[in-house]
């Protein structure tokens, strides 16, 4: 059962003006908003997949330069998310299947 497929390569290092721009604390866990200028060229969809610092998460509310992820308390306690705060640099990797679909659609539209 293949749920998410990632290429083992760093695709975006969100740092400097990018990186974690907000950290919220909803009742069910924590919400993080990540900003990365490189997102303009990537295909992120709501409820799609992304890895943040090696943790596979669901994308929420993607825009041209930000997206949000929410984590449950277990993930917060057992990953490096407990050390992430506003301004923290994070490593991002994106779902390769989504990239293949976007590329195939792009090629089909060119014909």
């Amino acid at each position: 059962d293949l749920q998410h497929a990632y290429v083992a390569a760093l695709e975006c290092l969100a740092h400097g003006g990018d990186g974690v721009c907000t950290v919220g604390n909803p009742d069910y866990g924590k919400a993080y908003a990540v900003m990365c200028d490189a997102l303009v060229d990537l295909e992120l969809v709501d409820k799609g997949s992304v890895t943040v610092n090696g943790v596979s998460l669901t994308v929420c509310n993607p825009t041209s330069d930000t997206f949000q992820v929410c984590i449950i308390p277990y993930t917060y306690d057992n990953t490096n998310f407990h050390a992430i705060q506003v301004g923290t640099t994070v490593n991002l990797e994106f779902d390769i299947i989504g990239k293949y679909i976007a590329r195939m659609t792009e090629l089909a539209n060119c014909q």
Side-chain angles (χ1 to χ4, degrees):
D1 181 30
L2 177 65
Q3 291 185 352
H4 310 294
Y6 300 96
V7 174
L10 175 64
E11 297 186 66
C12 179
L13 185 62
H15 61 85
D18 294 342
V20 175
C21 52
T22 61
V23 176
N25 194 10
D27 293 337
Y28 55 87
K30 288 199 177 282
Y32 295 83
V34 178
M35 178 179 289
C36 184
D37 288 337
L39 294 180
V40 173
D41 298 326
L42 299 171
E43 299 296 327
L44 275 182
V45 296
D46 199 36
K47 308 297 184 251
S49 299
V50 64
T51 62
V52 179
N53 285 356
V55 179
S56 180
L57 300 166
T58 300
V59 174
C60 302
N61 306 317
T63 69
S64 64
D65 64 352
T66 65
F67 66 91
Q68 296 176 357
V69 293
C70 295
I71 62 168
I72 61 174
Y74 180 87
T75 303
Y76 179 83
D77 292 338
N78 291 281
T79 66
N80 61 9
F81 272 85
H82 60 271
I84 293 177
Q85 54 192 317
V86 173
T88 298
T89 297
V90 292
N91 299 320
L92 304 175
E93 296 174 59
F94 302 94
D95 182 9
I96 191 68
I97 303 298
K99 290 180 187 180
Y100 283 130
I101 292 170
R103 179 68 175 146
M104 290 183 333
T105 302
E106 178 185 316
L107 292 173
N109 289 335
C110 291
Q111 296 177 358

